[in-house]
Amino acid sequence: QALARLRFDDSVNQEDVDEALRLTSTSQASQNIHVRDDYSVDNKSRIFHVLRDTLRNRAGKSISFGEGLDVLAQKGIQTDVFLEMVNEYEELGVLYIDPERTFIQLAE
């Protein structure tokens, strides 16, 4: 339909449909490539990406430590691996965890 509009045409032809199908297929293929690339990252990075995406999807900028553990447990991530990632990323200044270790947020 967009191609028809670009031509100032009121009707869609077969070439427009073929182009739409090609674009859809290309878009899906690029998504598959992105998913495969995501699996090539190390485990701590993968865990961080899940945590980061969770934080970004929340209205607030932080989540409770327990909630972070729960979210990652649902993804099959063990607590000890999560704690290693949190400690490393906190030392790097990427995450901020309060001294009582009750909440996690992305460092600004």
Side-chain angles (χ1 to χ4, degrees), residues 8-70:
F8 300 105
D9 197 346
D10 292 332
S11 61
V12 175
N13 62 33
Q14 186 60 44
E15 290 174 359
D16 298 333
V17 173
D18 292 342
E19 180 64 7
L21 292 172
R22 185 191 71 76
L23 290 171
T24 301
S25 176
T26 303
S27 174
Q28 289 172 343
S30 72
Q31 287 296 320
N32 290 336
I33 290 169
H34 176 69
V35 168
R36 277 187 240 127
D37 288 344
D38 203 17
Y39 287 110
S40 66
V41 298
D42 69 330
N43 205 29
K44 287 181 187 172
S45 295
R46 185 175 66 86
I47 295 167
F48 172 73
H49 290 159
V50 171
L51 182 63
R52 180 200 60 202
D53 293 345
T54 301
L55 286 165
R56 287 182 176 169
N57 290 330
R58 304 285 171 156
K61 295 189 175 197
S62 66
I63 60 172
S64 72
F65 208 85
E67 187 179 0
L69 285 168
D70 291 343

